[in-house]
């Protein structure tokens, strides 16, 4: 594993020193899992139960713009 690290390091930065200790400073993790399907019916949100507090403009990157968005009390 160390030899592979030194090879990639040398390719990226132009040199490697196998005598120096290696320190891991930053890590990255990706994970995925199967989604469990709920069989219980969902309750429709309504402002009658008092959970909806109002509306607010929010930015959505996927639409590249702002949209009026309902705000709910947790």
């Amino acid at each position: 594993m160390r030899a592979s690290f030194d090879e990639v390091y040398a390719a990226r930065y132009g040199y490697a020193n196998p005598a120096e200790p290696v320190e891991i400073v930053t890590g990255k993790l990706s994970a995925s899992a199967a989604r469990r399907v709920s069989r219980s019916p969902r309750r429709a949100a309504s402002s009658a139960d008092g959970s909806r507090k109002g509306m607010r403009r929010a930015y959505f990157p996927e639409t590249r713009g702002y949209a009026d968005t309902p705000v709910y009390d947790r």
Side-chain angles (χ1 to χ4, degrees), residues 23-68:
E23 177 183 3
I24 298 172
V25 176
T26 303
K28 182 177 180 180
L29 173 69
S30 254
S32 64
R35 193 170 127 183
R36 198 175 101 205
V37 178
S38 173
R39 303 219 185 275
S40 62
R42 291 186 177 210
R43 186 183 76 149
S46 72
S47 58
D49 67 4
S51 62
R52 187 166 172 177
K53 295 171 64 175
M55 296 290 284
R56 176 179 303 173
R57 300 224 6 112
Y59 181 79
F60 291 93
E62 55 276 354
T63 62
R64 294 187 173 120
Y66 287 86
D68 289 330

